Amino acid sequence: MAFQRKSRQSPRGVGDEKWGAAVARLRQLSSLRPALGIILGSGFHHVLARVKVDGELSYDRIPGLPPVGVTGHSGRVVVGRLEGTPVLIFSGRAHYYEGHSMEAVTCSVRVMAACGITDLLLTNAAGGVNPKFRAGDFMVISDHINLMGVNPLRGTTIGGLPRFVDLTCAYDPQLRRWLGTAARRCGLRLRSGVYLAVAGPSYETPAEIRAFARLGADAVGMSTVPETIVARQCGLRVAGLSCITNLAAGRSRAALSHQEVLDTAARVRHAGARLVAEFAKIHGQQHPT
Ligand code: HPA
């Protein structure tokens, strides 16, 4: 049942009441019942060009969703089929550095969970901390380090959800394997590594990047981690995919700029879209809905 929990007693209970208006609006869009949700960050918006769209809506028409405000983020929800697999896609995200609360930043995940997805693919642009990484690489997230200084679960717990959420295996091994298979089928090299999240919006100093490398980080970015934490609280399986849009501060002589992030994202947009589409195809084959 799409966009509908089978039971109010669902172990994932996601506080459906709170997101009722948003869920109702999304239900009107399509009769498709996606199990797979995807959030498209910088570098991945081109995925939309591959979607057979059944219904779409801009974020500002969905009750409770904050506006998104970064160049390259379009802010719309699309329901459709990607390589035949039903998908619920949020294209664009609200960032903490824009001044949004953690609740606002993660509300798209709660809405998706309330709509009935079981698996969530989070995509983003990130800086390469690992010296082997090159701009234009893709990285499957194996684990994360939260240095944003905040946690989205702080405060009142919603709808009987767990207060203390286990993150031992935050990024699902099976979904990670499917990303690996998808990359092989696309002929793409897929890196694997730890994503470290900072609040931003300034980029890091070279000293910070050296410290992050010592902590075990392979890539650094300003999103995704709050979404993963909330998704895990909701009982969703999570996969994370980064487009390495630049070498992190001090990893090259060049100064960092948002323009470089956008330029690299544009350069590899077709590869990123193919990778996500192939992942969706595998998901549909392995997890028919
Ligand atoms: N640092 C933080 N966030 C980023 C970067 C970076 O170098 N590149 C893309 N997002």
Side-chain angles (χ1 to χ4, degrees):
M1 312 182 43
F3 304 167
Q4 244 173 353
R5 297 238 148 243
K6 290 200 178 83
S7 141
R8 281 252 170 239
Q9 265 66 51
S10 159
R12 275 205 305 281
V14 285
D16 302 21
E17 311 73 29
K18 187 165 168 123
W19 311 112
V23 173
R25 187 63 68 83
L26 293 180
R27 262 188 210 139
Q28 291 161 358
L29 280 183
S30 164
S31 58
L32 283 176
R33 287 18 188 172
L36 176 62
I38 304 175
I39 295 183
L40 299 177
S42 304
F44 292 95
H45 297 281
H46 205 62
V47 167
L48 290 182
R50 291 176 163 258
V51 177
K52 195 160 164 282
V53 177
D54 213 43
E56 66 180 300
L57 209 54
S58 88
Y59 282 5
D60 55 18
R61 309 275 312 279
I62 303 174
L65 279 201
V68 300
V70 178
T71 323
H73 295 257
S74 58
R76 56 193 175 124
V77 177
V78 171
V79 187
R81 288 182 182 274
L82 184 53
E83 293 290 326
T85 303
V87 285
L88 172 59
I89 296 182
F90 278 58
S91 180
R93 53 161 59 91
H95 291 88
Y96 187 59
Y97 61 70
E98 292 173 80
H100 297 297
S101 65
M102 272 287 137
E103 185 183 343
V105 165
T106 54
C107 126
S108 54
V109 175
R110 296 207 185 274
V111 169
M112 285 174 130
C115 283
I117 67 152
T118 58
D119 296 340
L120 178 62
L121 173 63
L122 300 168
T123 64
N124 62 46
V129 175
N130 185 320
K132 293 191 180 140
F133 287 8
R134 297 286 165 263
D137 282 353
F138 292 96
M139 182 190 89
V140 55
I141 301 178
S142 58
D143 203 348
H144 75 226
I145 299 172
N146 182 9
L147 285 191
M148 294 183 91
V150 280
N151 189 297
L153 306 188
R154 180 171 182 269
T156 323
T157 50
I158 305 172
L161 291 174
R163 152 70 73 199
F164 301 105
V165 173
D166 175 43
L167 295 177
T168 306
C169 206
Y171 299 88
D172 185 78
Q174 183 170 56
L175 298 184
R176 274 154 58 192
R177 276 196 300 277
W178 290 351
L179 276 171
T181 306
R184 271 194 303 283
R185 290 185 184 166
C186 294
L188 283 173
R189 180 173 62 187
L190 185 63
R191 311 284 198 169
S192 175
V194 173
Y195 176 92
L196 183 148
V198 291
S202 67
Y203 290 114
E204 302 69 37
T205 64
E208 286 168 339
I209 294 300
R210 286 195 300 275
F212 294 170
R214 288 188 164 210
L215 288 177
D218 295 290
V220 60
M222 303 175 192
S223 68
T224 303
V225 162
E227 294 157 358
T228 297
I229 293 171
V230 166
R232 293 303 299 141
Q233 186 190 40
C234 296
L236 306 181
R237 298 197 301 177
V238 176
L241 180 62
S242 297
C243 173
I244 305 298
T245 49
N246 58 283
L247 301 185
R251 291 307 202 215
S252 79
R253 278 164 215 256
L256 270 59
S257 74
H258 186 55
Q259 193 55 49
E260 182 189 4
V261 170
L262 296 178
D263 289 348
T264 305
R267 177 166 63 80
V268 298
R269 68 188 187 281
H270 292 292
R274 262 194 300 135
L275 180 52
V276 172
E278 192 62 38
F279 172 80
K281 184 175 178 180
I282 295 169
H283 192 281
Q285 288 163 347
Q286 302 291 329
H287 190 296
T289 43

